[in-house]
Amino acid sequence: MTYRLIGEAAMLVHFLFLVFMAVGGFLAWRRPRLIWAHLAVAAWGVASVITGMECPLTVVEDWGRRNAGQEGLPAGGFIDHYIEGVVYPEEHTNLARLAVAALVLVSWAGYLRRKARAGSPPHVNQE
């Protein structure tokens, strides 16, 4: 039972991680300190796509499931199992990656704009 909970918890954290990767920059608009965590998460996402590194959460989920007597994750890992072919068709993987990258860049641009506005003096009408 414990191993199964470990696998399920890793899966849940992985989904939350991916959601934060996509929208964490927008959360930083209201909670500016989150931008640093979001930068780290986005850097991890880029690095894993470029290098093909396996996410530690995938390893933990697979380990938990196998030790619980369940089928582990397929060779493609978490994304291949839960996202590709489920959320979007596999042939649109690069488009989905570009969409997430665009979303992140828009969120960062908005964050920087809000930060610049907060740092500028208030507008004074000189009529």
Side-chain angles (χ1 to χ4, degrees):
M1 179 70 165
T2 301
Y3 290 117
R4 182 175 177 182
L5 287 174
I6 290 169
E8 296 290 327
M11 176 190 62
L12 177 62
V13 170
H14 215 157
F15 272 114
L16 293 172
F17 185 87
L18 291 175
V19 168
F20 184 71
M21 184 182 306
V23 300
F26 294 107
L27 296 174
W29 291 13
R30 301 286 273 167
R31 305 261 189 238
R33 290 184 186 170
L34 285 176
I35 197 66
W36 298 109
H38 191 254
L39 287 167
V41 167
W44 171 262
V46 169
S48 68
V49 167
I50 290 172
T51 66
M53 288 187 292
E54 188 170 35
C55 180
L57 291 168
T58 299
V59 174
V60 170
E61 180 184 352
D62 188 59
W63 176 83
R65 292 194 184 286
R66 289 183 190 279
N67 281 301
Q70 298 176 320
E71 185 177 327
L73 291 173
F78 180 89
I79 299 292
D80 285 354
H81 185 66
Y82 294 109
I83 308 294
E84 287 180 355
V86 178
V87 176
Y88 56 83
E90 279 184 61
E91 61 268 15
H92 297 301
T93 297
N94 288 332
L95 182 61
R97 288 176 178 168
L98 282 172
V100 170
L103 192 62
V104 168
L105 291 174
V106 166
S107 74
W108 288 352
Y111 169 82
L112 292 173
R113 185 170 184 222
R114 290 174 67 93
K115 185 175 178 181
R117 279 188 178 176
S120 65
H123 178 71
V124 177
N125 193 358
Q126 298 180 0
E127 289 183 21

